[in-house]
Amino acid sequence: MEVSVIRRFGRFLAALALTAATTVVGVTFTAGAAHADGCYTWGRTLSEGMSGEDVRQLQIRVSGYPGYGAVLALDGVYGPGTRSAVIRFQQAYGLGADGVAGPQTFNQIYALQDDDCTPVSFSYAEWNRCNSDWSGGAVSASTARFNARVSMWKLQAMRRALGSVPIYISSGFRSYACNSAVGGAAGSRHLYGDGVDLVGSPSLCRLAQQARYHGFSNILGPGYPGHNDHTHLGNTPSRSWSAPTCGI
């Protein structure tokens, strides 16, 4: 078994242990998530009406559950959209779906992420085959890397909805030089880090159709010029969907 898998399994068991309530001198503490994760640890239960960086970190992890055609704002405010996304996340993993993010919800997130905050099914290395430092794109290297991470979480949600099948990435982040070398569009979302091209199985149409539910505002696939051999997903400021062969 690979070391990374062993580490994730150990972290998952540790997280499970933290769900229990502990009573000390007549006071009951519902365990938060202290020491549960190498990436980010939540220290309080979150619900609608709350705000803060811990809410924003939660929003990143549930950004793939906004509902059909929607995009979840990563604004650190636990509003109705965040509550609905949390409910969909909870439903996807068989948790009590009350829209409140507590130990069970956080433990599931811990089991789904690696220590670099990427979801377990995707990695920075497969997303960026262009260069080693994420530089040379349309945004700063740190922003491109962050955008990639958010898109990975959206793909993780999409993967779950498709039956936890593998999703194959042929291209992710590109610098202007890398984008030019492959004939990419001048304003390609690959330059921003959030653009990704998918190939293989599930079918390209199935990927494009499912992506409509997972926070991608940019979906281009079969029937759109230059996209008959892949499905492209990204996050444009406004919705841009076109995959005519797939009914989109």
Side-chain angles (χ1 to χ4, degrees), residues 44-134:
R44 59 173 180 164
T45 293
L46 300 175
S47 59
E48 190 169 358
M50 300 176 75
S51 62
E53 177 60 19
D54 50 0
V55 175
R56 193 180 78 94
Q57 291 295 327
L58 173 65
Q59 289 170 331
I60 292 169
R61 275 67 168 186
V62 300
S63 59
Y65 293 92
Y68 181 91
V71 177
L72 183 64
L74 308 181
D75 57 6
V77 177
Y78 206 121
T82 299
R83 181 178 183 276
S84 294
V86 169
I87 287 174
R88 293 187 187 95
F89 175 86
Q90 292 168 332
Q91 290 171 333
Y93 287 95
L95 307 177
D98 58 2
V100 175
Q104 282 192 328
T105 298
F106 296 138
N107 289 340
Q108 183 60 65
I109 292 173
Y110 298 143
L112 285 172
Q113 73 180 3
D114 281 325
D115 287 348
D116 64 359
C117 302
T118 60
V120 294
S121 300
F122 302 97
S123 70
Y124 286 125
E126 68 179 326
W127 204 277
N128 179 5
R129 298 186 180 102
C130 171
N131 58 38
S132 61
D133 59 6
W134 297 79

Side-chain angles (χ1 to χ4, degrees), residues 169-201:
I169 296 172
S170 63
S171 182
F173 168 75
R174 301 174 192 158
S175 66
Y176 279 107
C178 290
N179 192 57
S180 178
V182 298
S188 172
R189 295 308 303 181
H190 293 280
L191 297 164
Y192 294 82
D194 56 69
V196 61
D197 293 344
L198 308 178
V199 296
S201 178

Side-chain angles (χ1 to χ4, degrees), residues 134-192:
W134 297 79
S135 66
V139 293
S140 69
S142 60
T143 297
R145 188 178 171 92
F146 173 79
N147 290 345
R149 177 157 57 95
V150 174
S151 284
M152 286 185 213
W153 280 103
K154 294 180 179 184
L155 274 192
Q156 187 73 36
M158 185 169 144
R159 184 181 189 274
R160 178 72 175 181
L162 290 168
S164 297
V165 297
I167 291 178
Y168 301 97
I169 296 172
S170 63
S171 182
F173 168 75
R174 301 174 192 158
S175 66
Y176 279 107
C178 290
N179 192 57
S180 178
V182 298
S188 172
R189 295 308 303 181
H190 293 280
L191 297 164
Y192 294 82

